[in-house]
Amino acid sequence: MSAVDELYPMPCAFCRISSAYPHEPPSNVPVSPDPERVDPQCHLILSTPLVLAFLDIMPISPGHILLTTRKHYRTLGDLRPVSKSDDTWTARRAAEEARDASRALGEWLPIVSRALCKVTGIEDWNVVQNNGERAAQVVPHIHFHLIPRYQEGRQETQRNGRTDWGTLKSWKMFGRGSREDLDDDEAKVLAKKLRDAIREEVEDTDKAKL
């Protein structure tokens, strides 16, 4: 049994979230989703036909968001085009779905990033995507981490006789040692602010298209 299987012996956690929170048109931003539809709670901020976003339950910093595909793909490599050796209708359809999911990830990453910056006030953040357990992928379902980096998370260091203000106190990106469980009460407030900010970003984007 792999390390991932030991950590997640149950069906895919993100697929359970996808099933619990179906897309509810016309809006891609849910109004007031019930976080207790799944256990542990899910603080949803985006629900489109192709992608979802929600708060990480063990955030590296406040506002840590996960953006994932609604359909199950294990890694980026699974978002594949049609194979020359399998040009059946089923294969072409699967390739179209993978292409649409890829485009949706690319479309929503900047929007969610801008909303994150607006709500948290940060200017620096990481966008991280892991593939496989040796690359620190714990949930075997493709997802992107959006991790805020706050000014108070920096420290002054001396390098070659000069001060470097940009070094983080810890460059550790993953692992339980540097993370704490998400506080559900605080998460409810933060998730609402993020949903409102995403909604504003979408409205601004739509206006710019006119």
Side-chain angles (χ1 to χ4, degrees), residues 45-191:
I45 62 173
L46 180 71
S47 177
T48 84
L50 297 171
V51 298
L52 299 155
F54 42 87
L55 295 177
D56 193 306
I57 62 171
M58 292 190 68
I60 290 177
S61 61
H64 183 165
I65 294 170
L66 301 180
L67 177 69
T68 184
T69 55
R70 183 173 287 280
K71 184 176 179 180
H72 186 87
Y73 298 98
R74 187 179 181 90
T75 68
L76 274 178
D78 293 328
L79 295 170
R80 63 180 73 246
V82 177
S83 170
K84 292 182 179 179
S85 61
D86 185 5
D87 191 24
T88 62
W89 180 89
T90 301
R92 290 196 300 273
R93 178 58 182 161
E96 290 174 359
E97 291 177 348
R99 178 199 61 201
D100 291 343
S102 298
R103 289 176 174 173
L105 288 169
E107 175 186 358
W108 285 102
L109 267 173
I111 294 173
V112 176
S113 290
R114 290 194 296 271
L116 177 63
C117 292
K118 183 182 296 184
V119 169
T120 61
I122 53 101
E123 297 178 354
D124 306 312
W125 72 102
N126 296 105
V127 176
V128 182
Q129 198 277 319
N130 305 317
N131 296 279
E133 58 187 281
R134 283 185 291 276
Q137 183 184 17
V138 177
V139 180
H141 185 136
I142 183 174
H143 57 284
F144 288 78
H145 296 259
L146 285 73
I147 307 168
R149 296 299 187 178
Y150 295 90
Q151 185 63 33
E152 57 267 27
R154 299 180 181 275
Q155 66 176 355
E156 178 182 351
T157 58
Q158 297 294 329
R159 289 185 178 179
N160 300 323
R162 66 183 180 85
T163 300
D164 179 3
W165 292 92
T167 303
L168 293 172
K169 290 181 179 178
S170 172
W171 287 101
K172 187 171 183 179
M173 295 291 296
F174 301 101
R176 293 180 179 272
S178 61
R179 306 172 73 167
E180 297 180 357
D181 291 340
L182 182 67
D183 182 282
D184 286 321
D185 290 333
E186 294 177 358
K188 289 177 183 178
V189 175
L190 178 58

